[in-house]
Amino acid sequence: MKVLTAFLAVAFLVVTNPAASAQPSDAADISFWQSVENAKDPAELEAYLKAFPNGKFAPLARIRLNRLKSGAAPPPAQPSPAPAATADAKAVHECDRLVANPFDPQRVSAGLPPDKVESERAIAACRQAIAQQPDNPRFQYQLGRALEVAKNYAESLEWTHKAAAQKYPMALGSLGRVHHFGIGVVSKDLHKAADYFRQAAELGHAFAMTAFGQVIFELKDERRYGEAVEWYRKAAALGSAHALTGLGYVYANGFGVARDYGEAVKYFRQGVEKRDFWSMYHLARMQMYGQGVPRDLGEARKNLQMAAQAGHVPSMRSLGFALMNGSLGRNDYLEAMRWLRLASEKGDGEAAATVGFLYDRGLGVAQDFGEAVRWARIAADRNNAAGLYNLGLAYQTGRGVAKDESEAARLYRKASNASGNASANADYNLSLMYLNGTGVARDPAESTRLMRKAADAGHNMAQVAYGLRAEQGVGMATDLPEAIRRYRKAAEGGNFQAHFQLARVYERGIHVAKDPELGASHLFEAVKARAATGAAGDNSWMAQLKVSAEFMRAFQRKLKDAGHYRGALDGKLSPVVREAVDRLSAEFKKRHLGAADTGKKDFGVDTGTDFGSLN
């Protein structure tokens, strides 16, 4: 649900990642500008210029400010969905100037992003304001915000609860946020987060409406998906660009509605019109792959660049990936490296890990294993699964760093607890280490547990390895149906080892009806899939191939139908058959030549085992 996570952190933010918020960011500049770009009060534009005198939108802010000062009408009163306030309560206090949230509908000043809040001054000012008006929920919330910026989480929570008790929408939303992400002294609790967001949403808070929907989807509570979508619709009706992005996302994925790429594109376009960077990101991806819209790589690049240039880190990363793997028409490793470095400078761990990948492979830069390790370490220090895995692989293989299998195992364990494909890669490698007793004490049971975990996460080689263990009873009871299920699953993912195993299963009739035709089909697919990995040209496995004449005749027919075999259907493994296999391999290798391996962020070292052939 990345599409929805980032804007919640901004909307209710005090600080979700204190370390990352230590210095001003483009995201803060953009968020502040979005909160004042339609301002009718010159003071709000002045507040933006004071916070960001050299900001991305400073020139436009000065133009609008001069226009307002030259004849602007008095600014309208601030909306106030909470209980009626007295004139004194609505007066602007130093507490408001120093720590008001720019996303708070009940603020009485422009507000500041968290990295612009001077916490000590703000805390003192808000304590003074509360001394004068002890029951003012706005001051209570703002004191809580200032205290969180100062990392005084316990007292921050106390004051936020006081404001929430008076149904102050932003305070309820803030409580939803801290429970959503598990911030400070609060443990992550999605059910509590949903409850707080719902309360704020019922008070008309648009951000809370979208936040509630996101949490419901994270809970995977399908019974409430429809309710979540309705809150998105209500927020969109209130003008929330984030809600439009959310609606696009639910239609693209079929969450609570029938999947409809056309509807998804419609909402993403509306979000783009409101300058929502997540909408730009998702519309670009749909244009890139032709989902709900004709494939248009030029428009896809334009939208990704527009969001990336405005400081949207996921778009920087995605643009880097697309340029790296040729999804925008050609591989441009130099430009990919530039965008990935920019994303990394903003704290993105995945981007840092991928920069390391480029150094390891020598793509766009001179190959440098030392630099690859340095970038992997940067990503690992950010607890990024790909960085942890890559660094572990470097220690396991001694590539760019002194070999240390114990350190490799430690890093794999850490990566195992993170999310993403690299986590499954780490589980797979760690499983082999436990099986062989390298870097860890040998433990077949733990090896099998980790292999199943990797397989359950969709790691194709792990599917095959776990299938073999189930078939042979290694570290578990023999389970032939489970073995065949795993082989089929991996074969669906294009794994050549899985096709080899299924060819063997059907040739011999292992827990399935013997079927030479189907077995030959899997062997044919195995040759193609193996060639797609770049392994074409080495078909020495053919020398050990021992199958029935009936199976070989079926395989010869497959080769003949593909235009590669001109010999007799005699059921013999002759040199002519081997030459046909070589031609088939060369065809598929050429077809996949130049395709970048973007599914992995590892260093490409095969640490697996040979699962055998049809012997």
Side-chain angles (χ1 to χ4, degrees):
M1 296 291 292
K2 287 183 178 178
V3 66
L4 302 175
T5 302
F7 62 71
L8 296 185
V10 173
F12 293 114
L13 176 64
V14 179
V15 178
T16 58
N17 182 346
S21 301
Q23 53 187 343
S25 66
D26 288 344
D29 180 352
I30 294 160
S31 297
F32 199 160
W33 172 250
Q34 288 178 333
S35 73
V36 302
E37 62 177 325
N38 297 315
K40 301 296 189 292
D41 183 353
E44 296 193 13
L45 293 169
E46 287 171 343
Y48 169 79
L49 289 169
K50 182 178 179 182
F52 298 96
N54 299 310
K56 292 178 178 294
F57 307 98
L60 181 58
R62 291 188 181 96
I63 292 170
R64 292 187 179 177
L65 180 61
N66 290 334
R67 188 182 301 153
L68 286 171
K69 284 185 173 180
S70 66
Q78 293 289 337
S80 181
T86 64
D88 285 344
K90 295 180 76 173
V92 180
H93 190 280
E94 191 70 2
C95 173
D96 298 302
R97 295 189 183 93
L98 292 172
V99 73
N101 191 322
F103 290 96
D104 185 354
Q106 294 175 265
R107 71 190 189 282
V108 295
S109 67
L112 292 170
D115 54 8
K116 291 292 183 181
V117 172
E118 299 177 48
S119 58
E120 289 187 12
R121 289 183 61 204
I123 290 167
C126 291
R127 290 196 193 282
Q128 183 184 56
I130 288 173
Q132 296 167 359
Q133 299 178 40
D135 298 323
N136 187 318
R138 188 179 79 247
F139 292 151
Q140 292 170 345
Y141 162 71
Q142 289 173 177
L143 177 56
R145 185 172 193 250
L147 287 163
E148 189 175 344
V149 171
K151 302 181 185 178
N152 185 344
Y153 298 116
E155 191 180 358
S156 168
L157 192 64
E158 177 185 339
W159 284 105
T160 305
H161 270 294
K162 287 182 179 180
Q166 297 191 63
K167 300 298 181 184
Y168 194 77
M170 208 67 190
L172 288 162
S174 187
L175 289 175
R177 175 185 56 83
V178 296
H179 284 90
H180 185 189
F181 296 106
I183 297 170
V185 296
V186 174
S187 299
K188 184 172 182 175
D189 187 328
L190 294 181
H191 292 283
K192 284 187 178 180
D195 183 57
Y196 282 120
F197 284 141
R198 182 186 51 76
Q199 290 183 58
E202 288 172 350
L203 292 169
H205 199 294
F207 276 118
M209 295 174 188
T210 57
F212 173 79
Q214 177 191 350
V215 173
I216 293 303
F217 290 126
E218 286 189 33
L219 284 168
K220 298 180 180 175
D221 187 350
E222 296 184 11
R223 297 168 302 172
R224 302 182 73 183
Y225 279 4
E227 182 185 1
V229 173
E230 285 309 305
W231 280 115
Y232 284 155
R233 295 193 194 283
K234 290 177 182 178
L238 292 172
S240 169
H242 303 316
L244 292 169
T245 300
L247 284 169
Y249 192 77
V250 298
Y251 274 104
N253 291 280
F255 293 154
V257 294
R259 174 175 281 177
D260 187 330
Y261 290 138
E263 279 293 288
V265 168
K266 180 187 81 173
Y267 283 114
F268 287 143
R269 288 194 189 281
Q270 290 177 23
V272 169
E273 289 172 6
K274 289 179 172 286
R275 302 284 300 173
D276 185 88
F277 302 127
W278 275 113
S279 279
M280 295 175 192
Y281 170 89
H282 284 286
L283 180 59
R285 292 184 65 80
M286 299 193 81
Q287 290 166 331
M288 202 182 302
Y289 299 112
Q291 294 177 315
V293 65
R295 191 164 183 252
D296 190 332
L297 300 184
E299 279 298 302
R301 182 165 185 164
K302 176 183 170 183
N303 278 310
L304 271 182
Q305 282 188 324
M306 188 160 48
Q309 288 167 350
H312 188 244
V313 176
S315 292
M316 292 179 185
R317 185 202 318 124
S318 186
L319 182 56
F321 286 168
L323 291 165
M324 180 179 74
N325 65 26
S327 296
L328 290 173
R330 65 185 180 88
N331 303 98
D332 187 340
Y333 298 119
L334 282 174
E335 187 68 357
M337 177 71 86
R338 185 174 79 84
W339 281 110
L340 291 166
R341 282 180 180 272
L342 286 171
S344 178
E345 288 171 8
K346 302 291 184 184
D348 189 87
E350 192 76 10
T354 310
V355 171
F357 169 84
L358 291 171
Y359 270 110
D360 185 81
R361 298 292 175 89
L363 299 174
V365 290
Q367 190 172 47
D368 188 329
F369 297 145
E371 272 297 284
V373 168
R374 187 176 76 82
W375 280 97
R377 200 179 299 279
I378 290 170
D381 288 344
R382 294 170 182 169
N383 203 37
N384 174 264
L388 289 162
Y389 170 72
N390 287 353
L391 191 58
L393 190 57
Y395 275 106
Q396 186 181 8
T397 59
R399 192 144 114 182
V401 68
K403 187 171 181 176
D404 186 337
E405 291 179 322
S406 295
E407 178 64 3
R410 184 189 73 81
L411 290 162
Y412 287 153
R413 283 192 204 96
K414 198 168 181 183
S416 175
N417 294 321
S419 59
N421 292 335
S423 175
N425 290 344
D427 287 327
Y428 175 76
N429 280 13
L430 191 55
S431 170
L432 296 177
M433 294 178 82
Y434 273 109
L435 182 66
N436 299 315
T438 54
V440 293
R442 189 171 186 276
D443 188 336
E446 178 64 4
S447 173
T448 297
R449 183 190 74 80
L450 287 164
M451 194 62 77
R452 176 165 186 165
K453 182 170 177 274
D456 288 344
H459 191 288
N460 279 331
M461 288 297 287
Q463 296 274 18
V464 178
Y466 187 75
L468 282 166
R469 294 184 190 199
E471 184 180 349
Q472 297 166 8
V474 176
M476 61 186 294
T478 300
D479 189 339
L480 294 178
E482 175 69 356
I484 294 167
R485 186 178 77 84
R486 295 290 182 171
Y487 298 151
R488 286 172 175 160
K489 191 82 173 174
E492 288 170 7
N495 184 272
F496 71 90
Q497 292 280 11
H499 282 296
F500 276 128
Q501 299 307 326
L502 287 170
R504 175 177 58 83
V505 163
Y506 282 106
E507 197 275 338
R508 298 179 183 176
I510 300 173
H511 202 72
V512 294
K514 196 170 182 178
D515 190 335
E517 285 287 341
L518 187 52
S521 294
H522 278 292
L523 182 59
F524 187 82
E525 292 301 319
V527 172
K528 293 197 301 182
R530 188 167 185 269
T533 68
D538 177 16
N539 289 314
S540 57
W541 56 270
M542 295 288 292
Q544 285 81 43
L545 193 61
K546 296 176 183 177
V547 295
S548 67
E550 187 181 5
F551 181 101
M552 184 52 64
R553 275 193 293 273
F555 186 55
Q556 288 171 334
R557 277 193 294 273
K558 293 287 181 186
L559 292 169
K560 188 171 185 177
D561 290 345
H564 294 296
Y565 181 66
R566 301 176 184 85
L569 300 180
D570 57 9
K572 296 178 181 179
L573 179 56
S574 63
V576 180
V577 171
R578 292 177 188 173
E579 289 171 7
V581 169
D582 287 341
R583 284 193 290 272
L584 176 64
S585 296
E587 175 194 340
F588 275 84
K589 183 175 182 179
K590 183 178 180 181
R591 193 175 294 184
H592 291 270
L593 192 65
D597 178 16
T598 57
K600 298 178 182 177
K601 300 297 181 290
D602 59 52
F603 293 161
V605 177
D606 182 8
T607 59
T609 56
D610 183 356
F611 295 124
S613 55
L614 283 169
N615 294 329

